[in-house]
Amino acid sequence: MNNERPVATPSRTKEILQKYGFSFKKSLGQNFLIDVNTLKKILNFAGIDKESNAIEIGPGMGALTEQLAIHANKVVAFEIDGRLVPILKETLGSYDNVEIIHQDILKADIRQVIATQFDTTTPIKVVANLPYYITTPILMKLLMDRLPVASFTVMIQKEVAERMAANPNTKSYGSLSIAVQYYTQAKVVMTVPKTVFMPQPNVDSSVLHLELRDKPPVDVKNEEFFFEFVQGCFAQRRKTLRNNLARFLGEKMNKEEIEAVLIESGIDGTRRGESLAMEEFAVLANRFYSSN
Ligand code: SAM
């Protein structure tokens, strides 16, 4: 155990910045956490204990990684910025349960890393303060790859967290809500003030908890078509389902054919996409997939 102050304190973070002459790269979404209480709450929501392994994306200087090292069985963290590697060697030097992988998470073979770094019996939890410029691509890649992980607990832009966890008939509900909730049960568990970051981001932040489902809540005939179909239904939010479908399927079906499928499915074409539950999207997508 390290005797120094935690990395996640303003004074220690400033010291490290100075010692290494480190300058933040906005283009890499570098907003570091400087509040241990916020980190402890994140670990709590993630259910981190010595019976869990953790994957972190973007350890930065090690603020969250250090807390994970203390409280989890083992931590593997992917960091794209090579300037942070020597810093992490210093801040995490006294923990023997941390592995830093200098790699872009979007290019990493995470499945292979999991197979070599972790034992198969301990659940793996993804915990991260994500770089905001690529939050959605990172989460969608990890979900679509169907990695053997139990949950994600991630700090992201507040508005994106709300969209991912949104219910029908709300302003935030859209194709991203369906995509995320197809794989997980999603909940916004905490909002976080800008003051806990250095430098402070321009946007508000929330912690999103995603619990992986054993299987999707709906049966779809073709996943790719299902996700494209849902996007098609939300393409113009203010328009009716009927109009959005005419645009989406225009080359393959005429208006009468589309109307016939809507009637068969028992779904009123004058509704808007935002009023449809995932089950209704699945019924419709399956019928349209069979008819075109
Ligand atoms: N975990 C640290 C903390 O909470 O203080 C830093 C979080 S900071 C919001 C995001 C981190 O992700 C930065 O360290 C950044 O360099 C890293 N990062 C950005 N893009 C990445 C990518 N594609 N793959 C891996 N890490 C990335």
Side-chain angles (χ1 to χ4, degrees):
M1 175 90 63
N2 202 322
N3 289 325
E4 284 193 79
R5 282 154 296 147
V7 177
T9 48
S11 61
R12 179 99 191 275
T13 298
K14 278 187 201 146
E15 261 172 41
I16 303 167
L17 286 173
Q18 262 178 3
K19 179 172 172 186
Y20 288 87
F22 186 86
S23 52
F24 296 105
K25 267 198 191 152
K26 217 177 163 191
S27 61
L28 290 179
Q30 291 180 338
N31 301 95
F32 295 166
L33 278 164
I34 50 165
D35 181 51
V36 177
N37 279 334
T38 302
L39 288 171
K40 290 200 168 143
K41 285 185 197 156
I42 294 175
L43 260 62
N44 221 7
F45 285 121
I48 289 292
D49 54 24
K50 284 289 166 191
E51 265 82 63
S52 31
N53 287 323
I55 291 181
E56 186 189 358
I57 297 139
M61 293 187 173
L64 172 58
T65 330
E66 178 182 48
Q67 298 305 316
L68 288 168
I70 296 168
H71 297 283
N73 176 50
K74 180 168 185 187
V75 191
V76 174
F78 294 86
E79 175 57 60
I80 197 171
D81 188 346
R83 298 174 307 155
L84 290 164
V85 174
I87 298 181
L88 289 162
K89 276 214 174 87
E90 177 183 325
T91 56
L92 304 169
S94 53
Y95 303 98
D96 59 6
N97 60 344
V98 182
E99 191 74 38
I100 301 294
I101 299 180
H102 175 209
Q103 212 174 13
D104 178 346
I105 190 69
L106 294 178
K107 297 194 181 134
D109 185 348
I110 308 166
R111 192 173 291 279
Q112 173 65 20
V113 170
I114 288 175
T116 52
Q117 295 287 339
F118 293 126
D119 67 83
T120 50
T121 52
T122 309
I124 301 168
K125 297 170 181 175
V126 176
V127 189
N129 170 20
L130 287 177
Y132 291 179
Y133 75 108
I134 43 166
T135 300
T136 304
I138 291 177
L139 285 177
M140 287 322 297
K141 173 184 152 72
L142 270 52
L143 292 176
M144 293 175 87
D145 281 357
R146 292 193 151 92
L147 298 169
V149 302
S151 63
F152 293 77
T153 308
V154 287
M155 172 100 75
I156 61 176
Q157 197 172 329
K158 181 168 177 266
E159 183 236 325
V160 180
E162 281 165 2
R163 281 167 52 205
M164 289 183 172
N167 290 321
N169 293 312
T170 61
K171 198 166 83 299
S172 304
Y173 185 63
S175 53
L176 187 62
S177 325
I178 300 282
V180 169
Q181 293 171 37
Y182 181 78
Y183 298 103
T184 72
Q185 283 183 297
K187 198 171 171 203
V188 178
V189 289
M190 176 164 84
T191 55
V192 182
K194 291 176 184 166
T195 47
V196 301
F197 299 93
M198 189 186 287
Q200 294 188 13
N202 298 325
V203 293
D204 291 324
S205 304
S206 290
V207 176
L208 178 74
H209 181 76
L210 304 175
E211 200 71 34
L212 268 284
R213 298 181 188 273
D214 294 334
K215 66 181 197 52
V218 292
D219 283 321
V220 299
K221 288 189 177 151
N222 180 298
E223 283 183 354
E224 203 183 327
F225 178 80
F226 173 66
F227 292 127
E228 279 172 13
F229 179 86
V230 173
Q231 274 180 359
C233 294
F234 281 105
Q236 291 189 290
R237 280 190 83 88
R238 308 306 303 158
K239 294 219 163 156
T240 60
L241 197 54
R242 181 189 280 152
N243 281 342
N244 273 320
L245 286 175
R247 271 172 73 107
F248 176 65
L249 298 162
E251 284 174 12
K252 295 177 186 142
M253 293 173 85
N254 64 34
K255 285 190 174 171
E256 289 70 34
E257 289 167 329
I258 293 174
E259 202 55 40
V261 177
L262 282 168
I263 290 168
E264 256 173 54
S265 313
I267 291 177
D268 182 348
T270 63
R271 286 171 65 183
R272 293 206 182 114
E274 67 192 33
S275 78
L276 266 70
M278 189 178 332
E279 294 71 27
E280 294 180 298
F281 278 118
V283 167
L284 272 187
N286 286 343
R287 288 210 186 233
F288 279 106
Y289 184 69
S290 315
S291 5
N292 73 67

